Amino acid sequence: MSGVMVRKVRPGDGEGCARAWRDAGRHYAAIVPEVVQEPDPEGLVEWFEQSIGRSQGDDTVCLVAEDDGRVIGVIEAAVIRPAPDARWQLQRDLSRVRLVINALAVVAEYRRQGVGTALMEAAEEWGRGEGAEVAVTDTNLSSPLSVPFYEKRMAYRRQGVILRKPLRSE
């Protein structure tokens, strides 16, 4: 992983972001097809290109990992500030500045080579700089890839369970 660099996303990165996104979609759709779909490739690069300008707000960041000029991974994160009523909430974290990792995707051939770790560490560092006290994310419990990554590699701990029930046949 010697040539891998993490930087902010910029115009022209849509193709690499789309490639990583589709690879992530294939991985999760194979595990939980009732929850995850492989994104439609038609217009996906353009969708990423259009979102690049919107992904760099005051409290959001989108970073990419590149290897020899080729985007091989993407992470999107946001800082969530405490709500005015946080002191009355039950969950302590609602009164803290939180870094939320919304999405992480690495091109399949680059997985388990430190790319995801580099992206996570860069996002966490950005969050610290924005005042974040805690980082949170979610993933599918059925994934043999992401659960060990977050728990063992990144030292995240399970704090809850997301429960899902379809209300219409899928």
Side-chain angles (χ1 to χ4, degrees):
M1 200 186 100
S2 60
V4 173
M5 176 181 78
V6 175
R7 61 169 172 77
K8 284 191 175 182
V9 70
R10 60 183 179 227
D13 289 339
E15 185 176 336
C17 292
R19 183 174 43 254
W21 198 245
R22 288 200 64 217
D23 281 357
R26 270 191 290 277
H27 170 77
Y28 286 104
I31 297 168
V32 283
E34 67 279 7
V35 177
V36 179
Q37 65 183 3
E38 184 177 337
D40 184 350
E42 184 70 33
L44 185 60
V45 172
E46 293 79 9
W47 180 72
F48 268 103
E49 286 295 333
Q50 290 172 1
S51 70
I52 286 171
R54 295 187 308 266
S55 66
Q56 305 296 345
D58 290 338
D59 285 338
T60 61
V61 71
C62 185
L63 305 170
V64 296
E66 71 172 32
D67 182 27
D68 198 25
R70 179 179 178 217
V71 172
I72 57 171
V74 60
I75 191 168
E76 196 272 331
V79 168
I80 308 297
R81 311 235 177 245
D85 66 350
R87 67 189 183 122
W88 297 298
Q89 296 294 331
L90 293 175
Q91 292 187 29
R92 185 179 305 273
D93 281 351
L94 295 178
S95 65
R96 296 182 171 126
V97 178
R98 301 175 311 284
L99 173 68
V100 179
I101 305 296
N102 292 317
L104 171 65
V106 176
V107 172
E109 65 204 62
Y110 284 89
R111 291 185 189 142
R112 298 182 188 250
Q113 297 180 36
V115 176
T117 301
L119 286 164
M120 286 291 293
E121 288 173 348
E124 289 172 356
E125 186 60 31
W126 173 82
R128 275 187 212 92
E130 295 295 314
E133 301 173 58
V134 63
V136 297
T137 193
D138 62 54
T139 194
N140 192 283
L141 284 175
S142 302
S143 175
L145 186 65
S146 61
V147 173
F149 169 75
Y150 287 118
E151 290 183 336
K152 293 181 177 139
R153 173 74 62 137
M154 300 308 305
Y156 281 62
R157 293 187 326 225
R158 295 180 196 197
Q159 294 295 301
V161 175
I162 297 171
L163 303 170
R164 180 181 183 274
K165 175 184 176 181
L167 298 177
R168 295 184 182 160
S169 61
E170 297 177 328

